Amino acid sequence: MAMYDHIILRYGEISLKGKNRKGFITALKKRVKQVLSDYPSIEVHQSFDRMIVKLNGEDPDPIIMKLKTIFGIHSLSVAIKTEHDLDLIKEKALQLVKDQMGNESMTFKVTVRRPFKQFPHRSQDMNRDIGGYVLTNTEKLTVDVHNPDMELKVEVKQDGAYLSCDNSEGAGGLPTAQDNKVMLMLSGGIDSPVAGYLTMKRGVKVEAVHFHSPPFTSERSRQKVEDLVKVLSRYGGDIRLHIVPFTNTQKSIQKEMPDNYSMTIMRRMMMRITEKLAEKSGALAIATGESLGQVASQTIQSMNTINEVTNYPVLRPLISMDKIEIMRISRAIDLYDISIRPYEDCCTVFLPDAPKTKPKREHANKFEQYLPIDELVEEAVSGVETIVIKEKDDSFDDLL
């Protein structure tokens, strides 16, 4: 792809943000520079409706792979830039189309945008002139304006004309805003990492909370969670991971609570502890991987009873998805193979034989009178270990 010298990034949803648009574009540009920091020669320029990455001789293939992980980019294309000269534009268009075709028969159409209105050729005239020139100088190429194999896009901007054929889908969503922080309850299974990905996709900065119960859960279980967060950091940058010591709380629940309510009480305790961590970190909501009807703790009645213990908004991005949909996303973003490692987590130890699927708030409150709630929460929060999983390297730096 030596002929390409630029990559065009298209905003998508950001374009609808009105007066807030500038802030989103600034956040996106910052993230693009962050992700491409291993390529110091690259330049990033923004305009009203596009962002342009100038390659300065770098191979576009690995750069495109990195750009596809950035939320806020709707689509992207490798491009050739040329001067404000219609003959040069036609020559570059022909070169580009031939490169895309190889020896195959294809259909195509030309789409010209001309935000630089001083260029003395109208878009409609350029569509006709460029398309005619390309057709005259190629074989096995025909026009299809409705469903072409290839769309040659020409964008005439103030600094030159950009030509592209290869259009790739971006990650979509919104760029991360650092003041939109959410605590993600991360178990280590398939669902909660996907919930973290989808939460970040809406422009949210995530911190992860994992409940660890040694010796009932192993170091391999903890490593699995760190590996999941490492994958998530490709999409959201460095992520703080809070490891909560949960053994004593789980043993107290097993000893003091009715067996069929132990799952509900455990989830209420997790929610209380996560809320305390959210207060300390400045997070404004809690995200979970719950999907309605999937297991006993994910019925409407369970969610109602569990939600009682927190005033924080609880985000459930998977709520309407079935397992197949969740697994499809997990595979697409390289989480699945880690999630299915067969290491136990705290939600599977002490699992009751018949958990209550329709628990009631009044019953949970009655049972919890026999638990030292505040003492257990304080003990867990004071014992939290916080590490930072970095996007760029494999080292984990202790914060505390």
Side-chain angles (χ1 to χ4, degrees):
M1 302 180 84
M3 64 188 295
Y4 297 101
D5 47 26
H6 290 76
I7 299 175
I8 298 174
L9 313 181
R10 301 177 183 86
Y11 298 150
E13 190 176 346
I14 294 177
S15 303
L16 307 175
K17 292 302 179 184
K19 293 180 179 177
N20 296 320
R21 178 192 186 114
K22 183 178 179 182
F24 283 104
I25 292 174
T26 300
L28 177 59
K29 186 177 181 180
K30 181 180 178 182
R31 180 64 183 150
V32 169
K33 286 185 169 182
Q34 194 177 45
V35 169
L36 300 183
S37 60
D38 293 335
Y39 302 90
S41 62
I42 277 180
E43 299 174 38
V44 181
H45 303 284
Q46 68 188 63
S47 63
F48 181 73
D49 57 353
R50 299 282 189 273
M51 199 166 287
I52 305 291
V53 176
K54 186 176 181 181
L55 294 169
N56 285 325
E58 296 286 354
D59 180 0
D61 286 340
I63 293 170
I64 284 177
M65 294 302 293
K66 287 178 176 287
L67 291 170
K68 285 182 176 180
T69 67
I70 299 177
F71 295 126
I73 298 175
H74 171 69
S75 68
L76 58 166
S77 305
V78 286
I80 303 172
K81 182 184 177 185
T82 189
E83 298 172 16
H84 287 143
D85 182 308
L86 185 56
D87 290 334
L88 283 178
I89 292 172
K90 289 194 287 190
E91 282 300 325
K92 291 291 185 183
L94 178 61
Q95 183 183 353
L96 195 57
V97 168
K98 284 184 172 179
D99 180 69
Q100 291 288 314
M101 287 180 65
N103 292 320
E104 296 182 20
S105 297
M106 299 184 79
T107 59
F108 89 121
K109 76 171 184 179
V110 180
T111 303
V112 175
R113 291 179 70 252
R114 193 173 56 102
F116 181 58
K117 299 302 182 189
Q118 286 75 15
F119 190 64
H121 302 279
R122 295 188 309 165
S123 300
Q124 204 61 29
D125 295 339
M126 289 180 69
N127 274 335
R128 186 186 59 246
D129 290 348
I130 295 170
Y133 185 79
V134 170
L135 273 176
T136 303
N137 290 281
T138 51
E139 298 177 353
K140 302 179 182 179
L141 188 67
T142 54
V143 174
D144 183 344
V145 297
H146 300 294
N147 188 29
D149 298 321
M150 167 178 37
E151 181 178 6
L152 170 63
K153 294 182 178 179
V154 180
E155 300 186 29
V156 183
K157 295 178 170 294
Q158 188 171 7
D159 63 335
Y162 294 83
L163 292 82
S164 62
C165 279
D166 183 30
N167 193 41
S168 301
E169 188 176 348
L174 296 169
T176 304
Q178 297 296 323
D179 56 349
N180 288 345
K181 191 186 296 181
V182 165
M183 303 301 283
L184 169 68
M185 295 174 67
L186 187 66
S187 69
I190 294 172
D191 298 346
S192 55
V194 174
Y197 170 81
L198 293 176
T199 302
M200 290 191 295
K201 188 174 181 178
R202 299 312 302 162
V204 169
K205 183 68 178 174
V206 158
E207 292 192 11
V209 181
H210 178 68
F211 293 86
H212 191 45
S213 296
F216 306 106
T217 56
S218 66
E219 283 304 308
R220 289 185 299 182
S221 172
R222 172 178 164 155
Q223 183 60 52
K224 173 183 170 182
V225 169
E226 292 181 1
D227 292 345
L228 287 168
V229 175
K230 181 71 176 175
V231 174
L232 288 174
S233 72
R234 294 178 197 165
Y235 304 94
D238 298 351
I239 296 178
R240 281 161 55 101
L241 170 62
H242 307 279
I243 307 289
V244 180
F246 203 50
T247 309
N248 197 33
T249 300
Q250 282 201 285
K251 290 171 71 174
S252 298
I253 292 170
Q254 185 196 29
K255 180 180 178 182
E256 303 292 346
M257 297 294 100
D259 192 53
N260 64 345
Y261 260 80
S262 62
M263 177 67 74
T264 303
I265 304 298
M266 183 187 73
R267 297 289 298 176
R268 284 162 63 101
M269 291 300 293
M270 287 177 166
M271 199 63 81
R272 291 183 174 103
I273 293 166
T274 302
E275 183 184 277
K276 288 290 184 186
L277 294 173
E279 289 174 1
K280 293 176 68 174
S281 294
L284 301 176
I286 295 169
T288 78
E290 290 163 309
S291 167
L292 190 59
Q294 191 175 117
V295 296
S297 65
Q298 298 178 19
T299 63
I300 284 288
Q301 292 82 359
S302 286
M303 292 179 193
N304 177 271
T305 302
I306 292 166
N307 268 35
E308 184 188 18
V309 302
T310 181
N311 288 321
Y312 272 54
V314 179
L315 311 181
R316 296 182 170 95
L318 311 185
I319 194 69
S320 65
M321 294 186 184
D322 60 34
K323 200 69 176 182
I324 301 298
E325 294 172 293
I326 297 168
M327 289 166 63
R328 185 166 58 239
I329 297 174
S330 179
R331 288 192 177 97
I333 57 177
D334 297 330
L335 289 167
Y336 184 77
D337 288 343
I338 303 173
S339 288
I340 61 172
R341 291 178 191 166
Y343 309 134
E344 70 292 337
D345 62 49
C346 72
C347 293
T348 57
V349 299
F350 305 129
L351 190 66
D353 292 333
K356 196 76 172 176
T357 57
K358 297 181 180 179
K360 296 182 178 178
R361 289 184 172 190
E362 56 267 32
H363 291 171
N365 285 317
K366 178 182 175 182
F367 298 140
E368 284 180 345
Q369 290 177 7
Y370 300 96
L371 269 185
I373 301 289
D374 294 341
E375 183 181 320
L376 289 170
V377 170
E378 177 59 31
E379 177 190 280
V381 171
S382 64
V384 166
E385 178 189 1
T386 300
I387 60 177
V388 177
I389 308 293
K390 291 186 173 296
E391 174 187 9
K392 288 286 185 181
D393 56 50
D394 295 327
S395 65
F396 309 136
D397 293 340
D398 289 340
L399 278 184
L400 303 177

